[in-house]
Amino acid sequence: MTQCCFLRVHSLFFWFWSFHRRMALALCLQVLCSLCGWLSLYISFCHLNKHRSYEWSCRLVTFTHGVLSIGLSAYIGFIDGPWPFTHPGSPNTPLQVHVLCLTLGYFIFDLGCIWRFAWRKSIKKYHAWRSRRSEERQLKHNRHLKIH
């Protein structure tokens, strides 16, 4: 009797595990499709605006994402529901999950744009911050700043 009960629980666990793996795979596929959509929009903006820089096209994608996410979030919050103030913490609707995957795909795209276009700027900012930090450390230890 114990072994039969164990087999039922064991098979239920593997069904649950495979369900979560399939769900995670489906979500990853949605995010990948979203990333491909944002990349294709970027490439089309690059082809349409050949006289502009690539960063300009990236900013157009950012603008498009802003308008789309505001519109979808307003639709979800005001029309589709559930209202977040009366039902906080309720399970996500499929539309909310799709918008989340769309936004996560854009986040990955934007991370790539930052890495591509702002890498040198961020290195310069880090270097300036680090040099100021070392000057502060010298002030703290020596009570005066050594001028070269």
Side-chain angles (χ1 to χ4, degrees):
M1 181 68 180
T2 308
Q3 188 177 12
C4 182
C5 184
F6 174 73
L7 288 176
R8 285 185 192 155
V9 170
H10 194 264
S11 64
L12 182 66
F13 172 76
F14 278 113
W15 175 83
F16 188 72
W17 177 258
S18 67
F19 174 74
H20 279 294
R21 279 183 44 190
R22 285 184 304 213
M23 186 66 117
L25 184 64
L27 289 176
C28 288
L29 187 62
Q30 281 183 352
V31 170
L32 186 65
C33 287
S34 169
L35 176 62
C36 291
W38 292 116
L39 281 172
S40 65
L41 184 66
Y42 171 71
I43 290 169
S44 65
F45 279 150
C46 286
H47 285 294
L48 288 174
N49 300 319
K50 291 181 182 179
H51 60 283
R52 302 276 188 178
S53 68
Y54 292 128
E55 190 175 0
W56 174 265
S57 299
C58 186
R59 290 179 187 210
L60 279 177
V61 173
T62 301
F63 175 75
T64 306
H65 170 260
V67 170
L68 189 65
S69 64
I70 287 172
L72 286 172
S73 297
Y75 175 77
I76 289 171
F78 294 122
I79 297 170
D80 191 47
W83 183 248
F85 297 115
T86 58
H87 297 85
S90 60
N92 291 332
T93 63
L95 181 60
Q96 288 173 335
V97 173
H98 290 309
V99 171
L100 177 71
C101 291
L102 183 77
T103 304
L104 187 57
Y106 171 76
F107 175 74
I108 295 169
F109 168 79
D110 193 43
L111 205 58
C113 284
I114 288 171
W115 184 72
R116 168 71 173 94
F117 296 116
W119 182 252
R120 293 185 187 136
K121 294 175 189 174
S122 55
I123 292 294
K124 287 179 185 177
K125 287 178 186 175
Y126 173 75
H127 178 70
W129 175 80
R130 190 73 184 143
S131 64
R132 275 189 245 119
R133 180 89 173 134
S134 64
E135 288 173 0
E136 289 173 3
R137 189 177 303 137
Q138 286 178 354
L139 269 173
K140 187 184 275 185
H141 291 298
N142 300 336
R143 303 272 189 242
H144 67 281
L145 190 67
K146 191 176 192 180
I147 299 175
H148 300 278

